[in-house]
Amino acid sequence: MPPPPPKPGVIPLAPLGVDHILGGAFATMRRYAKPLFGLTFLGVAILAGLTLGLDYLAYLSVKTQLDRIIAAPRSVDWTDLRTVLIAFGAVWVVGMVVSLVASSFVQASSAATLHDAVLGRRAQVGAVWKRAWSRTPSVLGVTLLLGLVVVVPLVLLVVLFGLLLAAIASKAPLVAFSLFPLVMLLAIPLAVWLFVRFSFAPAAAVLEGASPVTAMRRSARLVRGAWWRTFGILLLGGLITLIVSLVVNVPFQLAMPTPQPYDLSSAQEPVSVTEVYAQILPSMGRSLVLSTIASLFVQLFSLVFMPLVGSLLYIDQRIRREGLADVLMRAAAVTEAPGGPGTPEGPAAPGGPEAPGGPGTPGSVE
């Protein structure tokens, strides 16, 4: 029997099976929980704090209009409604931008932590933060480009849905209903195919220091010929995330008491939003707090687990096609040597500016 491949970190340095990829993701979360979940929690906390702060400011700016709408919901003035929509619409736009930045930072921090986990090195939170933050703009660019690429077929679906409604209005329902399933069969698989084809781009942007466009090209090149395998493992990772979400959230949802409704008709004078929530929330009690904690746990798990699975798939394809295992073995050997990477006096990590091949070329990782 040949000797087993070396395993300095969470995965063996050889072509990976499904068990190695999923097991490596769980092992990374277990051994490197501090940088992984610490930075992820920080990103989620900043996003939540900023969102709540903006929501509160928007509420204060339209409090009078909201009170009038709640007090007389059947005679809403369009001016009041427009003011409320503009205020909370602006908050939603800012929240989406901040959410994209936070999501990109979490993906970058997951890939940066995995870089050390594969080599068996200790990952310092500060070092992972610097590496992830420096690559966040590139990952954000990948996210925006991937969103545009995937949205194109979905926009086509929306346009053709509008044509469907127009056909129904013109009394040609048979043609419309025969066209819509065909469009669904074309647009949704195309969006899924594009998503899987470029699913390695965030990992390439972090581990190779690639620009967004270069990372997209690298992903397309690595996925070519392995699309179904990549799709199957990503789907399996998504199913695991869904199962964890159901196992954690469903018991709390079933145990949560039904909030007591607030009867606006019994009020002698106009009520405010604060008074409504002041009566509803106390009835939720401890269950609401526990449910919020469970939802936060599920969110942290999903934000970390899927990027790890995608990054491990990326490493697996580079091991199979580009001989990355040899580069990782040499890097792991340098790591274990006195004064190697991971110690204050050690040299630069493999694939850095001094390393042969540099970032973005086959056979190197940053």
Side-chain angles (χ1 to χ4, degrees), residues 131-186:
R131 193 184 311 156
W133 185 250
S134 65
R135 301 310 306 161
T136 295
S138 183
V139 178
L140 178 61
V142 167
T143 302
L144 295 176
L145 288 177
L146 183 59
L148 290 176
V149 168
V150 173
V151 161
V152 167
L154 298 181
V155 169
L156 176 64
L157 179 63
V158 172
V159 171
L160 292 178
F161 182 72
L163 296 177
L164 166 67
L165 296 179
I168 294 176
S170 63
K171 299 181 180 180
L174 183 60
V175 176
F177 280 107
S178 62
L179 178 65
F180 188 68
L182 178 62
V183 174
M184 291 280 289
L185 290 175
L186 292 177

Side-chain angles (χ1 to χ4, degrees), residues 74-164:
R74 296 184 180 180
S75 57
V76 177
D77 186 11
W78 167 244
T79 304
D80 293 339
L81 185 60
R82 181 181 59 188
T83 304
V84 172
L85 292 177
I86 291 175
F88 285 99
V91 170
W92 180 82
V93 171
V94 175
M96 286 296 297
V97 174
V98 177
S99 177
L100 286 174
V101 175
S103 175
S104 301
F105 173 75
V106 169
Q107 291 187 70
S109 64
S110 298
T113 304
L114 184 64
H115 173 268
D116 293 330
V118 169
L119 299 178
R121 302 195 304 201
R122 289 182 300 173
Q124 301 294 333
V125 176
V128 174
W129 165 276
K130 291 179 182 179
R131 193 184 311 156
W133 185 250
S134 65
R135 301 310 306 161
T136 295
S138 183
V139 178
L140 178 61
V142 167
T143 302
L144 295 176
L145 288 177
L146 183 59
L148 290 176
V149 168
V150 173
V151 161
V152 167
L154 298 181
V155 169
L156 176 64
L157 179 63
V158 172
V159 171
L160 292 178
F161 182 72
L163 296 177
L164 166 67

